């Protein structure tokens, strides 16, 4: 069996292509059923995120073209176009790729933690759709164990490496009870959406999103149980906000020093953490001069991000080492299982030959044949049947000069003389003459 990983990601395909190849949650069950039903596919799992679509399969042959053709048919895309941006890995390279994906080494943001949860969802979906067998089941479980080891033994996920995550991380250091903090987010773009998600994951439940159009703000806030307001309502919202993070495309500042002074007065000068991610700025620089305001800009965050990238790279190198060890142990276990399966198949073959010879011998006995002759013939037939296939393989190997295979024959088929042969010789039955001689001496 061959393990196959085939897919596209942010490095090999544009957003437009990734959107076309992505599977919606409603499509996954059908996709897994079709994929599992392909002639060469034995097991299958699908991982589909905004940055990657990957298919993990166990095949009985090199089935990458079969899978690629199916992927094109499913999404109505040209196989030639997919081929230009697709990659595939086999066996231990496929296992290594899955482990690197799980720990975030193959992500757009190095070490990002969300991918592991997405991978676990893909595993669960494949299980529910009966796409997993023993091979992928063991690989996913082994991968999750390696990912846990990387997360606990390295700092790959500890240091923020995106502006949104860095802003939230800095805020969490200021508040003792982050879950009770109130957050005001100004803007409704991708960065603010990420900030909102990170804040919610960090425990912030009181969240307000302000935007020029309320509808866009509601798209972000509703999913997180927050509130949506317009920009004109910001002065009142500032009075309640402990955290303010702004990222808009406004050419002029939205929060001025006077507005913030009035808000602080009504807040009774409780401190406010503010991050201005926008360029040009959304918050007047003079706001940072106020005693109860901690104001940071995107430049302040970039210093943190660059330092954290260096820390993460060190952790990434450690993670690569742990992954190599994980691939090695998985490959070792796989070889042991393969040996066990080979032994089982060989024993079944031998038992089938034994049963056939035994059945034929019993038939001859039932017809009144001579037992001694039947036993002799049984031994002769069974020996020939057991030796026929290995003998033919040795002849073929010799004719093709396959010396490595020939060198293995003595070890596999001609082990050292077993101890029972010596035992049988010493304890062999006496000849018919021996007992009579003993009796004659006793007379």
């Amino acid at each position: 069996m061959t393990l196959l990983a085939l897919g596209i990601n942010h490095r090999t395909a544009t957003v437009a292509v990734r959107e076309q190849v992505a599977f919606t949650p409603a499509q996954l069950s059908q996709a897994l059923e079709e994929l599992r039903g392909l002639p060469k596919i034995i097991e299958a799992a699908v991982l589909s995120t905004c940055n990657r679509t990957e298919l993990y399969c166990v095949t009985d042959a090199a089935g990458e073209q079969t899978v690629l053709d199916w992927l094109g048919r499913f999404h109505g895309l040209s196989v030639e176009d997919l081929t230009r941006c697709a990659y595939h890995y086999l066996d231990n390279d496929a296992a290594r790729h899955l482990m690197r994906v799980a720990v975030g080494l193959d992500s757009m943001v190095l070490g990002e933690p969300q991918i592991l949860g997405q991978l676990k969802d893909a595993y669960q979906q494949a299980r529910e759709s009966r796409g997993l067998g023993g091979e992928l089941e063991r690989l996913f479980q082994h991968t999750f164990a390696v990912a846990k080891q990387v997360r606990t033994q390295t700092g790959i996920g500890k240091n923020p490496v995106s502006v949104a995550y860095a802003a939230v991380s800095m805020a969490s250091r200021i508040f003792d009870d982050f879950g009770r903090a109130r957050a005001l987010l100004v803007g409704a773009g991708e960065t603010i959406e990420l900030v909102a998600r990170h804040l919610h994951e960090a425990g912030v439940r009181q969240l307000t999103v302000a935007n020029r159009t309320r509808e866009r703000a509601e798209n972000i806030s509703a999913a997180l149980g927050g509130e949506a307001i317009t920009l004109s309502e910001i002065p009142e919202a500032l009075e309640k906000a402990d955290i303010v993070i702004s990222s808009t495309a406004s050419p002029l500042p939205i929060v001025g020093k006077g507005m913030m002074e009035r808000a602080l007065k009504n807040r009774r000068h409780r401190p406010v953490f503010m991050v201005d991610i926008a360029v040009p700025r959304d918050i007047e620089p003079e706001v940072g001069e106020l005693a109860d305001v901690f104001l940071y800009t995107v430049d302040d965050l970039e210093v943190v991000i660059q330092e954290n990238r260096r820390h993460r790279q060190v952790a990434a190198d450690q993670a690569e080492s742990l992954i190599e060890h994980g691939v090695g142990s998985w490959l070792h276990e796989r070889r042991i299982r393969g040996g066990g399966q080979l032994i089982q198949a060989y024993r079944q073959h031998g038992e089938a030959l034994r049963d056939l010879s035994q059945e034929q011998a019993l038939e001859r006995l039932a017809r009144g044949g001579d037992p001694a002759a039947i036993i002799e013939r049984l031994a002769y037939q069974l020996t020939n049947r057991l030796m026929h296939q290995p003998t033919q393989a040795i002849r073929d190997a010799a004719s093709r000069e396959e010396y490595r295979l020939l060198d293995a024959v003595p070890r596999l088929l001609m082990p050292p003389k077993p101890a029972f042969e010596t035992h049988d010789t010493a304890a062999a039955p006496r000849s018919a003459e021996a007992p009579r001689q003993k009796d004659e001496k006793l007379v």
Side-chain angles (χ1 to χ4, degrees):
M1 292 187 296
T2 300
L3 175 65
L4 167 69
L6 182 147
I8 67 167
N9 63 18
H10 57 281
R11 292 190 180 92
T12 66
T14 63
V15 174
V17 175
R18 297 202 304 272
E19 287 175 342
Q20 295 179 73
V21 179
F23 293 90
T24 66
Q27 291 176 319
L28 273 178
S29 294
Q30 178 189 349
L32 284 165
E33 182 179 355
E34 290 186 14
L35 187 56
R36 178 66 178 77
L38 294 177
K40 297 181 179 180
I41 305 302
I42 302 169
E43 303 175 38
V46 175
L47 172 65
S48 185
T49 72
C50 57
N51 283 328
R52 72 179 64 246
T53 293
E54 294 183 338
L55 312 174
Y56 293 89
C57 304
V58 174
T59 74
D60 61 3
E64 56 265 25
Q65 192 60 50
T66 300
V67 174
L68 196 62
D69 291 343
W70 169 82
L71 186 62
R73 289 196 306 272
F74 190 94
H75 291 293
L77 299 173
S78 163
V79 175
E80 289 75 18
D81 291 341
L82 283 177
T83 302
R84 282 193 288 269
C85 58
Y87 49 82
H88 75 272
Y89 302 96
L90 301 177
D91 293 328
N92 56 322
D93 289 333
R96 180 181 295 103
H97 177 73
L98 179 61
M99 293 177 199
R100 296 187 79 256
V101 168
V103 302
L105 292 181
D106 196 58
S107 297
M108 184 179 293
V109 176
L110 181 65
E112 60 95 3
Q114 287 81 13
I115 186 62
L116 181 57
Q118 293 166 332
L119 191 59
K120 288 182 176 180
D121 290 342
Y123 160 77
Q124 190 60 40
Q125 180 72 38
R127 286 195 71 185
E128 292 173 358
S129 299
R130 299 180 180 178
L132 299 185
E135 188 74 7
L136 280 184
E137 175 74 35
R138 282 186 287 264
L139 174 61
F140 273 99
Q141 291 295 342
H142 192 86
T143 295
F144 297 149
V146 170
K148 181 178 180 180
Q149 184 183 18
V150 169
R151 290 287 169 184
T152 55
Q153 296 185 15
T154 74
I156 194 166
K158 293 180 181 178
N159 302 297
V161 291
S162 69
V163 169
Y165 195 72
V168 174
S169 179
M170 290 180 69
S172 67
R173 299 173 189 174
I174 291 177
F175 297 93
D176 293 332
D177 189 355
F178 204 38
R180 297 179 62 183
R182 295 172 178 264
L184 169 63
L185 307 183
V186 183
E190 182 179 349
T191 299
I192 288 297
E193 188 172 0
L194 284 172
V195 168
R197 192 187 311 158
H198 290 317
L199 283 170
H200 189 267
E201 290 172 354
V204 175
R205 294 295 179 265
Q206 302 177 78
L207 190 147
T208 300
V209 181
N211 191 51
R212 184 174 56 83
T213 58
R214 188 186 298 269
E215 181 181 2
R216 176 59 183 153
E218 286 177 345
N219 290 340
I220 297 175
S221 62
L224 304 175
E227 177 187 4
I229 63 174
T230 61
L231 297 182
S232 61
E233 299 173 86
I234 286 179
E236 295 178 4
L238 283 172
E239 298 175 8
K240 302 175 184 178
D242 304 305
I243 301 167
V244 179
I245 301 177
S246 184
S247 178
T248 75
S250 174
L252 299 173
I254 295 174
V255 178
K257 184 177 181 181
M259 182 190 296
M260 198 63 216
E261 283 178 326
R262 289 188 292 274
L264 287 171
K265 183 178 179 180
N266 291 330
R267 286 176 56 82
R268 297 182 180 179
H269 297 278
R270 293 195 314 276
V272 182
F273 172 82
M274 306 183 78
V275 181
D276 188 355
I277 303 175
V279 180
R281 300 184 193 184
D282 286 337
I283 303 172
E284 287 183 348
E286 291 76 13
V287 171
E289 300 172 1
L290 299 175
D292 300 303
V293 173
F294 299 87
L295 175 62
Y296 296 87
T297 68
V298 68
D299 289 341
D300 299 319
L301 295 181
E302 190 59 32
V303 172
V304 175
I305 291 168
Q306 290 299 331
E307 181 64 24
N308 288 346
R309 278 202 184 101
R310 286 193 287 271
H311 287 305
R312 277 206 178 183
Q313 189 55 57
V314 172
D317 294 340
Q318 296 170 341
E320 294 281 12
S321 178
L322 290 173
I323 286 172
E324 285 306 310
H325 182 269
V327 171
S329 61
W330 171 81
L331 191 57
H332 177 69
E333 292 172 4
R334 193 185 193 209
R335 286 169 176 164
I336 291 176
R337 290 194 303 273
Q341 293 167 355
L342 185 61
I343 290 170
Q344 183 181 16
Y346 184 64
R347 290 188 66 87
Q348 288 174 347
H349 171 69
E351 289 166 358
L353 296 178
R354 176 202 64 194
D355 293 344
L356 175 61
S357 297
Q358 178 180 288
E359 181 181 351
Q360 292 174 342
L362 290 173
E363 288 178 357
R364 294 189 188 100
L365 285 171
R367 292 197 298 266
D370 177 32
I374 291 172
I375 291 174
E376 183 178 354
R377 183 172 181 179
L378 168 64
Y380 177 80
Q381 281 187 334
L382 185 56
T383 301
N384 277 348
R385 286 168 175 169
L386 288 171
M387 294 180 63
H388 172 73
Q389 188 172 349
T391 301
Q392 186 61 50
I394 292 171
R395 287 199 184 100
D396 292 343
S399 67
R400 292 193 295 266
E401 298 183 350
E402 295 178 347
Y403 298 115
R404 291 184 63 183
L405 182 58
L406 292 172
D407 289 342
V409 169
R411 184 178 177 187
L412 293 173
L413 300 181
M414 293 181 289
K417 182 179 293 187
F420 71 82
E421 289 189 8
T422 303
H423 174 75
D424 285 351
T425 301
R430 296 173 183 266
S431 65
E433 191 69 19
R436 287 196 296 270
Q437 292 174 350
K438 183 176 181 181
D439 291 342
E440 290 173 355
K441 290 180 181 179
L442 291 175
V443 173

